[in-house]
Amino acid sequence: MFDPIPFWISCIFIFSVPLVPIIFYLIVQNYKRTSFWEQRGIIHLPATPLFSKDILDSFLIRYSLLSEVYNHGTGNVCCGFFQFRKPALLIRSPNVINLILNQEFKNFQNKRHGDYTDGNKDPLSQHLLALNGFKWKCLRAKLTPTFTSEKLKSMFSLLETCVENFLDRIDESKGDPIDIMEICGKLSIDAIASCAFGLELQCLKNRNHDFIRMGRAAFRPGNWRMFKAHFRTLYPQFFKKFNISAYGNDVNDFFCSLVSETIRRRKLSGEKRVDFIYLLMKMLEEDEATITESDRTSTIKFTDDLIAAQAFSFFIGGYETTSITMSSIFYELARHDGIRQTVQNEIDSVLSPQCEISYNDLKSLQYLDMVIKEVLRLHPPAFYIQRICSEDFQIPGTDVTIEKDMEVYIPILEIHKDESNFHRPLEFIPERFSTENKSKIPKGSYLPFGDGPRKCIGMRFSLMELKLVIVRTMLEYDFHLEKTTPEEINLEEYSRIYKIKNKIFLRFIKRVKNKKIYML
């Protein structure tokens, strides 16, 4: 009689035998990858075990991961870690950071592995912040003139109108608590819409505007969105092959339609408003641009999609980053009565009722400038800077070689809060940025807008907006933290930018009569 037990044992044996070499191969490959840093004698955070519940998180670049790696590498120039099984390097030394972002920029200019934008049906993926090589260099040169002092002065009155709406919203509260992050976010959208697109949205009054909805959609935090974004950075060809959208079809359609409609309307009306869209229209007229580097000439074609992507870069570069920084300024001033009073005294002394206030007056407020710089140190717009090494590079004075195609991370927040870079780093001390003290700050240790050729292109616009909002508000109001606001703020773990999880509520009390700001 046929015995079924030996039969099943035989089946298991037959099917398992081929799996043995496969399993053995996977074990060997896993060991090779996870021993990468050990073989090179570099201090590192061990890879997450393959069957750990945290294996997915090990693929994501989270704030807590960067903090853990940074602390693990204390006393060293750098520290290795793993994104799943892919080795990456975190830089701790300000000297090396300065080297990577400035002197050795050519070897660390790219932020992604390759370029998946050519032939891809995801138009917004071509924005300036995501491009590499000659495309980035060409567009950066074309867009930089938008942020000269002369152009910023022309935007000043546009910003002032947005701030008036902001103050009207505060006035409507009549002393009731206000969610400062909500109204700062809407003000930021109004400013971008006005100065970049020539649109008067008044998001502070129209709380359900599509611009707000799309802004939230583009920046919504979450581990899946972070996974998708990081996977796109590591494996761009996968997204290109399957035409996977970076931001979603609704966001793509909204911004592409907005830009094309704005350009069409201006061509018909003959309007010549000197803003971001005007500059993009000039680029479209040129049709293409050529750039020569190292005896190599490259050409970039200015298409409707490419232009729409650059308009989108203005939006993503200035929306949440500026609004959260603005909220953080209000938060820190509300927490520190003495500092808030010093700022208010400076504003009162420089901007008296008898004087008209100009763009240049904002630049003369030195203590306010110190306060904003200190806020940006404690609450930088981004957690980290990411670069791809183009060629093997040995860190001077060490045995560490950054290998070609390796991802390099610079943890901005950890650098800013390191006691070796800033005395009493967790305290809010604007005086560290005074004329006498700022020269003591090590190069490569203060990076709220990045550094080097890829430094934030809209930095000056953002600072002008921040100063104008704070000055106008403090001329008219005193403000204090509502008791429901927590002493310590919490951050979104699954976000690529510095994103505050808590709500920050402030009470505003009318102080003086309204003072108009004029552009001289």
Side-chain angles (χ1 to χ4, degrees):
M1 186 175 179
F2 187 75
D3 187 352
I5 297 178
F7 173 76
W8 285 110
I9 292 175
S10 300
C11 288
I12 292 171
F13 179 77
I14 291 170
F15 284 106
S16 63
V17 167
L19 291 176
V20 172
I22 296 174
I23 293 171
F24 179 76
Y25 173 79
L26 292 175
I27 291 172
V28 171
Q29 290 301 311
N30 183 64
Y31 173 76
K32 283 183 178 179
R33 287 177 177 270
T34 57
S35 63
F36 179 90
W37 293 117
E38 186 176 354
Q39 291 172 7
R40 288 156 178 77
I42 297 173
I43 188 169
H44 62 282
L45 196 69
T48 304
L50 196 57
F51 297 104
S52 166
K53 63 181 177 62
D54 299 320
I55 192 65
L56 177 61
D57 274 1
S58 71
F59 183 80
L60 306 176
I61 300 299
R62 297 163 289 112
Y63 163 65
S64 59
L65 172 64
L66 295 181
S67 179
E68 185 179 1
V69 177
Y70 190 85
N71 293 329
H72 189 79
T74 299
N76 294 270
V77 168
C78 58
C79 184
F81 67 104
F82 295 90
Q83 301 170 61
F84 188 57
R85 292 297 179 266
K86 187 180 179 67
L89 192 65
L90 180 140
I91 308 298
R92 300 182 82 263
S93 165
N95 288 333
V96 178
I97 291 171
N98 186 51
L99 198 66
I100 287 172
L101 298 182
N102 289 287
Q103 293 96 314
E104 296 294 331
F105 172 76
K106 189 174 181 180
N107 198 27
F108 294 93
Q109 65 174 302
N110 293 336
K111 300 173 73 174
R112 296 174 182 262
H113 288 282
D115 180 5
Y116 77 99
T117 59
D118 285 334
N120 190 270
K121 295 179 181 178
D122 186 17
L124 300 186
S125 65
Q126 304 174 84
H127 63 77
L128 182 67
L129 304 178
L131 292 177
N132 287 339
F134 84 94
K135 278 188 177 181
W136 167 81
K137 189 172 184 179
C138 181
L139 281 170
R140 174 85 183 202
K142 289 289 184 182
L143 297 176
T144 296
T146 309
F147 303 102
T148 61
S149 293
E150 199 60 36
K151 293 290 196 312
L152 291 177
K153 287 180 179 180
S154 69
M155 298 178 191
F156 191 84
S157 60
L158 302 177
L159 275 178
E160 199 275 335
T161 300
C162 297
V163 177
E164 287 287 352
N165 293 331
F166 176 80
L167 295 176
D168 288 343
R169 173 67 184 86
I170 291 176
D171 198 47
E172 288 171 6
S173 71
K174 300 189 182 304
D176 291 335
I178 291 180
D179 182 347
I180 193 64
M181 288 199 297
E182 180 187 0
I183 65 170
C184 284
K186 291 176 180 177
L187 167 60
S188 183
I189 289 179
D190 274 348
I192 291 170
S194 179
C195 297
F197 300 95
L199 303 173
E200 302 299 330
L201 299 183
Q202 296 192 7
C203 290
L204 285 154
K205 297 178 180 178
N206 183 1
R207 301 184 182 186
N208 297 311
H209 199 284
D210 284 347
F211 237 98
I212 299 174
R213 185 169 58 85
M214 292 303 157
R216 288 172 178 163
F219 290 100
R220 189 178 298 117
N223 54 0
W224 164 243
R225 292 182 67 85
M226 274 195 69
F227 181 88
K228 180 182 175 183
H230 197 56
F231 193 85
R232 186 178 73 249
T233 301
L234 291 174
Y235 307 106
Q237 292 303 322
F238 179 87
F239 275 70
K240 179 178 179 179
K241 182 177 175 122
F242 294 99
N243 287 318
I244 301 175
S245 172
Y247 296 98
N249 292 332
D250 54 345
V251 177
N252 275 331
D253 294 344
F254 175 78
F255 278 97
C256 289
S257 298
L258 176 66
V259 173
S260 62
E261 176 59 26
T262 302
I263 290 175
R264 185 193 67 80
R265 189 182 69 249
R266 290 197 185 184
K267 284 181 177 178
L268 287 175
S269 66
E271 180 184 1
K272 296 194 180 295
R273 176 173 172 144
V274 182
D275 55 12
F276 199 61
I277 287 290
Y278 175 80
L279 191 69
L280 296 179
M281 290 174 66
K282 288 293 184 184
M283 288 169 59
L284 271 176
E285 291 174 5
E286 293 178 24
D287 187 50
E288 64 182 27
T290 301
I291 190 168
T292 301
E293 186 176 33
S294 302
D295 299 324
R296 174 175 172 250
T297 300
S298 302
T299 301
I300 182 170
K301 187 85 171 172
F302 296 138
T303 63
D304 291 346
D305 284 350
L306 185 66
I307 294 304
Q310 305 326 306
F312 183 65
S313 74
F314 194 107
F315 177 75
I316 63 173
Y319 167 40
E320 279 219 318
T321 53
T322 300
S323 66
I324 289 175
T325 300
M326 197 182 300
S327 302
S328 299
I329 295 172
F330 279 113
Y331 173 74
E332 293 293 352
L333 288 175
R335 291 179 68 211
H336 299 88
D337 293 341
I339 293 172
R340 183 177 70 253
Q341 191 59 57
T342 303
V343 172
Q344 206 159 52
N345 290 342
E346 180 184 53
I347 292 172
D348 288 344
S349 64
V350 174
L351 311 177
S352 64
Q354 291 75 31
C355 297
E356 294 179 340
I357 302 168
S358 72
Y359 167 80
N360 291 328
D361 285 329
L362 296 182
K363 297 171 68 175
S364 69
L365 298 169
Q366 296 182 7
Y367 192 75
L368 175 60
D369 188 66
M370 290 156 52
V371 166
I372 292 175
K373 286 178 179 175
E374 179 69 343
V375 169
L376 286 165
R377 184 186 69 83
L378 288 172
H379 309 277
F383 285 131
Y384 63 88
I385 297 170
Q386 177 185 1
R387 292 289 187 269
I388 308 295
C389 183
S390 300
E391 300 292 340
D392 287 0
F393 174 75
Q394 183 172 352
I395 298 176
T398 74
D399 295 327
V400 178
T401 296
I402 304 176
E403 299 181 15
K404 182 180 178 181
D405 292 331
M406 178 170 287
E407 289 195 56
V408 175
Y409 289 88
I410 298 168
I412 299 174
L413 192 55
E414 297 305 314
I415 294 289
H416 285 186
K417 292 186 176 182
D418 192 325
E419 194 166 1
S420 62
N421 300 324
F422 295 95
H423 180 57
R424 291 152 55 194
L426 300 182
E427 296 182 33
F428 188 72
I429 309 174
E431 287 74 17
R432 70 175 88 243
F433 291 98
S434 67
T435 304
E436 301 78 27
N437 293 329
K438 63 183 179 182
S439 60
K440 301 174 186 176
I441 299 172
K443 288 184 178 180
S445 65
Y446 183 66
L447 306 161
F449 294 103
D451 200 3
R454 284 201 86 137
K455 189 174 186 177
C456 176
I457 191 172
M459 177 186 72
R460 297 176 69 193
F461 176 83
S462 177
L463 290 173
M464 179 178 71
E465 181 181 349
L466 293 171
K467 290 178 181 179
L468 180 57
V469 172
I470 298 302
V471 166
R472 287 300 315 275
T473 304
M474 295 191 76
L475 276 171
E476 301 193 18
Y477 295 94
D478 287 316
F479 51 88
H480 307 279
L481 278 179
E482 178 67 6
K483 291 179 181 179
T484 55
T485 302
E487 284 291 322
E488 298 295 330
I489 60 176
N490 296 313
L491 302 177
E492 292 281 2
E493 179 74 356
Y494 297 103
S495 176
R496 292 168 64 87
I497 63 173
Y498 186 96
K499 192 173 179 67
I500 298 172
K501 186 183 293 186
N502 314 97
K503 289 184 179 295
I504 299 175
F505 288 98
L506 270 64
R507 286 183 184 271
F508 290 84
I509 303 169
K510 194 74 174 177
R511 180 170 173 256
V512 294
K513 292 183 179 180
N514 184 42
K515 297 178 184 180
K516 286 283 185 181
I517 293 184
Y518 299 93
M519 187 60 239
L520 299 181

